[in-house]
Amino acid sequence: MNDSLLSTAPAAETAQHSPATRHDWHQQEILELFELPLMDLLFEAQRVHRLWHDPNKVQLSQLISIKTGGCAEDCAYCSQAASHQKGTGLTATKLLEVERVVAAARKAKSGGASRYCMGAAWTSPKDRDMETLVAMVEGVKALGMETCMTLGMLTDKQTAQLKDAGLDYYNHNVDTSEEYYGEIITTRSYQDRLDTLARVRHAGINVCSGGIVGMGEAREDRAGMLRTLANLPQHPESVPINMLVAVPGTPLENVEELDPFEFVRTIAVARIMMPTSEVRLSAGRQSMSEELQAMCFFAGASSIFYGEQLLTTPNPENNKDLMLFKKLGLSPA
């Protein structure tokens, strides 16, 4: 067998001759990708994946909620919205102490995570909180980890403060297509999200932006979400694809579950459209079989959220992930 067919690392000379990344995707051609026979779609996604990524390496990120609940947004999927908390039973908390966050990051690093993501349930941070947030970034950076935060919308001043502190990534998901967005969120516009992404990019911070599937949207909306991200002037460095975790007490608690193969297709199309990005297999893994996760890795997922807890929903235990990695011949990037 030709050894080149089994290359386990992206070859620079091959990547140089690969098609340039695109920012002019049309809805119909994205839908045509979704409609390919699954084996053809997976083959193309894996081909693209191998041009830019080591197919046997997966980047590990760990997530912590630094401020839980009491959020003024009305995101229909979220247990942290103040308007949903009575139904979900979630208790709001204050912003965590810096020392507690850094200690948790240290533990995450010892468990194999290379990036630490800190999330706060806010529409946007208050200026009085910025000193604490900056100290968190600096403390985690001092451990030798990459840092990521998701805090809602930012002002130019706040963005500059986070950049100066050494923040590596800022997460701000578009969630879904612009057309379906109003069915999920009414308290913040789609343009608000795009403006925040532009502000982060202008400041020189890497962009982490993806969305959630399985919220009752159509395939056209999944295609539209990916079109928004891929047609940005620069692709997000990280693209988390979340499967909805239907939390009891939220408006989406009884939504029909998405077909798992459609989720795999979404991962594959994201990989083809944004070849250099880390496509992260994010929320929802707790209910995914090992076989489904393996298909997602083959489809081009190159990153996962690692650790037993996301913001407010469970995640597979660390040793369960490592056992799966061993079965698949994968290792942390």
Side-chain angles (χ1 to χ4, degrees):
M1 182 180 290
N2 189 331
D3 289 342
S4 66
L5 294 178
L6 294 176
S7 173
T8 58
E13 63 273 17
T14 303
Q16 288 175 359
H17 297 289
S18 65
T21 54
R22 289 181 51 189
H23 306 269
D24 60 350
W25 289 90
H26 298 288
Q27 181 80 350
Q28 184 55 41
E29 62 181 325
I30 302 170
L31 288 172
E32 288 171 1
L33 285 176
F34 268 97
E35 291 160 8
L36 284 172
L38 184 60
M39 298 304 114
D40 291 344
L41 177 60
L42 291 179
F43 182 88
E44 178 61 14
Q46 179 65 195
R47 185 192 71 80
V48 172
H49 186 55
R50 285 173 178 262
L51 289 176
W52 299 100
H53 305 269
D54 186 329
N56 296 317
K57 297 282 188 182
V58 177
Q59 187 272 329
L60 305 182
S61 295
Q62 196 150 332
L63 179 63
I64 184 174
S65 178
I66 58 174
K67 189 273 177 187
T68 303
C71 184
E73 304 293 341
D74 67 352
C75 307
Y77 52 81
C78 188
S79 62
Q80 301 198 68
S83 56
H84 306 155
Q85 280 181 216
K86 184 176 180 180
T88 63
L90 185 73
T91 301
T93 67
K94 295 181 179 180
L95 186 63
L96 293 181
E97 300 85 0
V98 173
E99 295 77 12
R100 184 174 172 185
V101 172
V102 174
R106 186 178 294 109
K107 182 179 178 180
K109 182 181 180 182
S110 68
S114 60
R115 185 179 305 165
Y116 201 60
C117 305
M118 297 161 272
W122 282 325
T123 296
S124 57
K126 295 180 173 61
D127 287 339
R128 66 170 182 262
D129 295 316
M130 291 306 299
E131 182 178 351
T132 300
L133 297 173
V134 163
M136 288 179 184
V137 173
E138 293 174 341
V140 175
K141 286 283 287 185
L143 300 176
M145 299 185 77
E146 291 182 329
T147 54
C148 180
M149 280 189 158
T150 178
L151 312 168
M153 295 181 288
L154 298 174
T155 65
D156 288 332
K157 179 181 177 182
Q158 291 168 341
T159 310
Q161 288 174 289
L162 293 173
K163 171 63 177 176
D164 291 344
L167 185 67
D168 297 296
Y169 290 81
Y170 192 78
N171 167 259
H172 200 64
N173 292 334
V174 297
D175 284 346
T176 187
S177 70
E178 185 170 9
E179 292 76 14
Y180 193 67
Y181 184 83
E183 299 295 319
I184 302 299
I185 302 160
T186 66
T187 48
R188 186 191 313 183
S189 74
Y190 206 72
Q191 189 60 49
D192 286 336
R193 292 184 180 263
L194 297 179
D195 289 345
T196 298
L197 293 178
R199 187 170 288 116
V200 168
R201 177 66 74 196
H202 180 73
I205 300 172
N206 292 315
V207 168
C208 174
S209 187
I212 306 170
V213 299
M215 299 191 293
E217 78 285 348
R219 174 179 280 182
E220 287 77 8
D221 297 304
R222 293 185 281 279
M225 175 188 74
L226 296 179
R227 186 182 75 245
T228 293
L229 297 170
N231 286 351
L232 291 171
Q234 185 174 341
H235 292 165
E237 282 76 13
S238 185
V239 180
I241 304 295
N242 299 273
M243 177 78 89
L244 175 72
V245 178
V247 178
T250 64
L252 296 181
E253 64 175 321
N254 295 316
V255 71
E256 183 179 354
E257 291 186 9
L258 185 72
D259 186 299
F261 290 120
E262 184 70 10
F263 186 78
V264 173
R265 286 179 180 276
T266 306
I267 295 282
V269 175
R271 167 52 66 223
I272 292 167
M273 294 175 66
M274 292 169 280
T276 65
S277 302
E278 297 287 0
V279 175
R280 180 176 299 128
L281 181 56
S282 297
R285 287 198 306 117
Q286 179 74 7
S287 62
M288 294 182 190
S289 69
E290 290 186 337
E291 294 81 1
L292 175 55
Q293 292 183 67
M295 287 189 72
C296 290
F297 291 130
F298 190 78
S302 56
S303 175
I304 62 170
F305 270 131
Y306 184 67
E308 298 174 17
Q309 184 76 20
L310 298 179
L311 290 176
T312 61
T313 55
N315 204 41
E317 296 178 0
N318 292 10
N319 61 347
K320 187 175 181 180
D321 283 328
L322 295 178
M323 289 173 62
L324 176 59
F325 277 24
K326 184 176 182 180
K327 291 179 183 180
L328 300 179
L330 301 175
S331 59

